[in-house]
Coordinates of all heavy atoms in Angstrom, one line a residue:
A10 N -65.6 47.9 -4.5 CA -66.9 47.3 -3.8 C -68.0 48.3 -4.2 O -67.8 49.4 -4.8 CB -66.6 47.2 -2.4
G11 N -69.2 48.0 -3.6 CA -70.3 48.8 -3.9 C -70.1 50.4 -3.7 O -69.5 50.7 -2.6
G12 N -70.5 51.1 -4.6 CA -70.4 52.6 -4.5 C -69.1 53.1 -5.2 O -69.1 54.3 -5.6
Q37 N -67.1 49.7 -10.1 CA -67.5 48.6 -9.2 C -67.3 47.2 -9.8 O -67.3 47.1 -11.1 CB -69.0 48.8 -8.8 CG -69.3 50.1 -8.0 CD -70.7 50.4 -7.9 OE1 -71.5 50.1 -7.1 NE2 -71.0 51.6 -8.8
D86 N -73.8 36.3 -6.9 CA -74.7 36.7 -5.8 C -75.8 37.6 -6.4 O -75.6 38.0 -7.5 CB -74.0 37.3 -4.6 CG -73.2 38.6 -5.0 OD1 -73.8 39.7 -5.1 OD2 -71.9 38.5 -5.3
G87 N -76.6 37.9 -5.5 CA -77.7 38.9 -5.9 C -77.7 40.3 -5.4 O -78.7 41.0 -5.6
E88 N -76.5 40.7 -4.8 CA -76.3 41.9 -4.3 C -76.7 43.1 -5.4 O -76.3 42.9 -6.6 CB -75.0 42.2 -3.7 CG -74.6 41.4 -2.5 CD -75.5 41.8 -1.2 OE1 -76.2 42.7 -1.2 OE2 -75.3 41.1 -0.4
L89 N -77.2 44.2 -5.1 CA -77.5 45.1 -6.1 C -76.2 45.7 -6.8 O -76.2 45.9 -8.0 CB -78.1 46.4 -5.4 CG -79.4 46.5 -4.7 CD1 -80.0 47.7 -4.1 CD2 -80.6 45.9 -5.7
D90 N -75.2 45.6 -6.0 CA -73.9 46.0 -6.6 C -73.4 45.1 -7.7 O -72.4 45.5 -8.4 CB -72.7 46.4 -5.6 CG -73.2 47.3 -4.5 OD1 -74.0 48.3 -4.9 OD2 -73.0 47.1 -3.4
H91 N -73.9 43.9 -7.8 CA -73.4 42.9 -8.7 C -74.5 42.6 -9.7 O -74.3 41.8 -10.7 CB -73.0 41.7 -8.0 CG -71.6 41.6 -7.4 ND1 -71.3 40.8 -6.4 CD2 -70.6 42.5 -7.8 CE1 -69.9 41.1 -6.3 NE2 -69.5 42.1 -7.0
K152 N -75.5 34.4 2.8 CA -75.8 35.7 2.9 C -76.7 36.2 1.8 O -76.3 36.3 0.6 CB -74.5 36.6 2.9 CG -74.8 38.0 3.6 CD -73.8 38.9 3.0 CE -74.4 40.3 3.2 NZ -73.7 41.2 2.3
R153 N -77.9 36.5 2.3 CA -79.1 37.1 1.3 C -78.8 38.6 1.1 O -78.4 39.2 2.0 CB -80.4 36.8 1.8 CG -80.7 35.3 2.0 CD -81.8 35.2 3.1 NE -82.3 33.8 3.2 CZ -81.7 32.9 3.8 NH1 -80.4 33.1 4.2 NH2 -82.1 31.7 3.7
P154 N -79.1 39.0 0.0 CA -79.1 40.5 -0.2 C -80.3 41.1 0.7 O -81.2 40.3 1.0 CB -79.5 40.7 -1.7 CG -79.3 39.3 -2.4 CD -79.5 38.3 -1.4
K155 N -80.2 42.3 1.2 CA -81.1 42.9 2.1 C -82.5 42.7 1.6 O -83.6 42.5 2.2 CB -80.9 44.3 2.3 CG -79.7 44.5 3.3 CD -79.6 45.9 3.8 CE -78.4 46.1 4.7 NZ -77.1 46.5 4.0
P185 N -65.2 37.4 -5.4 CA -65.2 38.7 -4.9 C -66.0 38.8 -3.5 O -65.9 39.9 -3.0 CB -66.0 39.5 -6.1 CG -66.9 38.5 -6.5 CD -66.3 37.2 -6.6
C186 N -66.8 37.8 -3.1 CA -67.5 37.8 -1.8 C -67.1 36.5 -1.1 O -67.8 35.6 -1.3 CB -69.0 37.9 -2.0 SG -69.5 39.4 -3.0
D207 N -61.6 38.6 -2.9 CA -62.4 39.6 -2.2 C -61.3 40.5 -1.5 O -60.8 40.1 -0.5 CB -63.2 38.9 -1.3 CG -64.2 39.9 -0.5 OD1 -63.9 41.1 -0.5 OD2 -65.2 39.3 0.0
S209 N -62.3 43.6 -0.1 CA -63.1 44.7 0.5 C -62.5 45.3 1.6 O -62.3 46.5 1.6 CB -64.6 44.1 1.2 OG -65.1 43.3 0.1
F210 N -62.1 44.6 2.6 CA -61.4 45.1 3.8 C -60.0 44.7 4.2 O -59.7 43.5 3.8 CB -62.3 44.8 5.0 CG -63.8 45.2 4.8 CD1 -64.7 44.2 4.9 CD2 -64.2 46.5 4.6 CE1 -66.1 44.5 4.7 CE2 -65.5 46.9 4.5 CZ -66.5 45.8 4.5
Q229 N -69.5 44.5 10.6 CA -68.6 44.3 9.4 C -68.5 42.8 9.0 O -68.6 42.5 7.8 CB -67.2 44.9 9.5 CG -66.4 45.0 8.3 CD -65.1 45.6 8.6 OE1 -64.9 46.6 9.1 NE2 -64.0 44.8 8.1
A231 N -70.5 40.5 9.5 CA -71.8 40.0 8.8 C -72.0 40.3 7.4 O -72.8 39.9 6.8 CB -72.9 40.6 9.7
M232 N -71.2 41.4 7.0 CA -71.3 41.7 5.6 C -70.6 40.6 4.6 O -70.8 40.7 3.4 CB -70.4 43.0 5.4 CG -71.3 44.3 6.1 SD -70.2 45.8 5.9 CE -71.0 46.5 4.4
G233 N -69.9 39.6 5.3 CA -69.4 38.4 4.6 C -68.2 38.9 3.6 O -68.3 38.3 2.5
H234 N -67.3 39.5 4.1 CA -66.1 40.0 3.4 C -65.0 39.5 4.3 O -64.6 40.3 5.2 CB -66.0 41.2 2.9 CG -67.0 41.5 1.9 ND1 -67.2 41.0 0.6 CD2 -68.2 42.3 2.0 CE1 -68.2 41.3 0.0 NE2 -68.9 42.2 0.8
H260 N -63.0 44.1 -5.7 CA -64.0 44.4 -4.7 C -63.5 45.1 -3.7 O -63.9 45.0 -2.4 CB -64.9 43.2 -4.3 CG -66.2 43.5 -3.8 ND1 -66.4 43.8 -2.4 CD2 -67.4 43.4 -4.4 CE1 -67.7 43.9 -2.2 NE2 -68.4 43.7 -3.3
Ligands
LIG301 C1 -71.7 43.7 -0.4 O1 -70.8 43.2 -1.2 O2 -71.6 43.2 0.9 C2 -72.9 44.2 -0.7 O3 -72.6 44.8 -2.0 C3 -73.3 45.2 0.3 C4 -74.8 45.7 0.1 O4 -75.0 46.1 -1.1 O5 -75.5 45.6 1.0

Side-chain angles (χ1 to χ4, degrees):
Q37 296 164 80
D86 56 83
E88 296 290 355
L89 295 181
D90 302 325
H91 278 159
K152 192 204 159 201
R153 295 155 175 72
K155 289 194 176 84
C186 298
D207 188 340
S209 304
F210 304 120
Q229 184 182 313
M232 294 175 92
H234 299 288
H260 200 275

